[in-house]
Amino acid sequence: MSSSPTPDALLGPADVRELAGALGVRPTKQRGQNFVIDANTVRRIVRTAEVRPDDVVVEVGPGLGSLTLALLEAADRVTAVEIDDVLAGALPATITARMPARADRFALVHSDAMHVTELPGPAPTALVANLPYNVAVPVLLHMLSTFPSIERSLVMVQAEVADRLAAAPGSKVYGVPSVKANWYADVKRAGSIGRNVFWPAPNVDSGLVSLVRRAEPIKTTASRGEVFAVVDAAFAQRRKTLRAALAGWAGSAAAAERALVAAGVSPQARGEALTVEEFARIAEAAAPRTTASPEGESE
């Protein structure tokens, strides 16, 4: 099926271009498509993700299958979620052709990841994905919210987004993605990926982010929606003090100050200084008068 110079089942640059050509696929910016063409890179991602032989891995945006094949080498089974009609139609045949002994360990869900609420087979234990850059944060948060069985995640995203996801309180890039990701998991940067391993080469650098789900959920009586509503309000006007930034959320600046004081947070502080636990305390102090959408994943 391919003229790959590599002796194994993974896709090399010639394989990727050959597959794309046969399918008439041209990567689109609209869907943030940049296909990985380097087998060493996908193996490195699988190693960094610490994929185990008993893992059930969910992959979002498998594209032509570069990372999918590497995941199938290491995991018990892999479920890929693909929105693109042509790519979704072709992937099962690629898996069968290049890794026939593992084909029964692969499942495809042809859908927008943001609309996926269940997956076939056993519950996923890991999320490993080269996420489309334009929707990386909402997709990541949706998957963590929807599938609590996911213990470990490793996602490749735009370097700037990786920095924001992994940022600590007080950092200039600490914001909504940082806090919301930290609600679910301990988050850290896990490496960088060069531009030359992609086709087409993106005009931005890429980074790996590791997320290990919290052993214990954050202790709070406030719901996730209530906490995320505070986070969204705090960073919507991030240069303002929390007393001012949360005035609309609380109903008035005075009400915001009361909630902040009750939570043990200075009304003069700014959102970028607060931990997710402090945001939860603020939400708890004001509950039950505020709610947000269940996902609350605006950036």
Side-chain angles (χ1 to χ4, degrees), residues 2-275:
S2 104
S3 55
S4 170
T6 58
D8 58 39
L10 302 195
L11 299 175
D15 303 310
V16 170
R17 290 186 173 89
E18 185 181 321
L19 267 173
L23 296 171
V25 167
R26 293 186 176 182
T28 69
K29 281 189 176 181
Q30 179 187 358
R31 288 189 172 159
Q33 290 170 333
N34 297 93
F35 300 129
V36 181
I37 57 174
D38 181 62
N40 289 329
T41 296
V42 292
R43 282 213 173 98
R44 175 189 159 200
I45 291 169
V46 172
R47 280 197 310 273
T48 305
E50 298 180 3
V51 174
R52 302 187 295 248
D54 61 345
D55 269 324
V56 178
V57 178
V58 58
E59 180 191 8
V60 175
L64 293 166
S66 299
L67 178 57
T68 318
L69 289 162
L71 288 168
L72 270 172
E73 278 189 337
D76 180 54
R77 56 185 64 238
V78 175
T79 299
V81 181
E82 177 59 64
I83 188 174
D84 186 280
D85 294 344
V86 174
L87 295 173
L91 188 55
T94 300
I95 301 299
T96 300
R98 301 189 71 94
M99 211 170 278
R102 304 291 290 166
D104 64 337
R105 301 285 179 162
F106 172 74
L108 177 81
V109 175
H110 181 194
S111 177
D112 181 339
M114 290 297 293
H115 299 155
V116 170
T117 56
E118 57 184 7
L119 294 169
T125 58
L127 166 68
V128 185
N130 169 21
L131 289 177
Y133 290 173
N134 50 348
V135 293
V137 171
V139 166
L140 174 62
L141 295 176
H142 172 75
M143 296 301 286
L144 290 173
S145 165
T146 306
F147 301 103
S149 61
I150 294 174
E151 302 162 4
R152 289 162 290 117
S153 301
L154 186 82
V155 294
M156 178 158 55
V157 295
Q158 186 175 334
E160 177 188 344
V161 175
D163 290 339
R164 291 169 68 193
L165 282 167
S171 162
K172 285 184 178 179
V173 294
Y174 183 74
V176 171
S178 327
V179 183
K180 291 184 178 179
N182 203 233
W183 168 266
Y184 300 103
D186 295 317
V187 189
K188 66 178 183 180
R189 271 290 227 128
S192 299
I193 301 288
R195 302 181 186 192
N196 61 340
V197 304
F198 295 97
W199 173 71
N203 57 6
V204 294
D205 294 319
S206 302
L208 297 175
V209 181
S210 163
L211 302 98
V212 178
R213 191 172 296 265
R214 289 174 173 270
E216 296 287 334
I218 290 175
K219 291 180 171 61
T220 178
T221 57
S223 70
R224 181 181 72 235
E226 289 166 346
V227 176
F228 283 10
V230 183
V231 175
D232 288 334
F235 287 102
Q237 305 176 78
R238 64 182 297 151
R239 295 191 180 187
K240 291 190 174 183
T241 65
L242 286 169
R243 184 184 190 277
L246 297 182
W249 161 82
S252 69
E257 180 163 349
R258 285 195 296 274
L260 289 160
V261 171
V265 175
S266 168
Q268 300 309 308
R270 289 176 170 78
E272 63 202 41
L274 269 58
T275 65

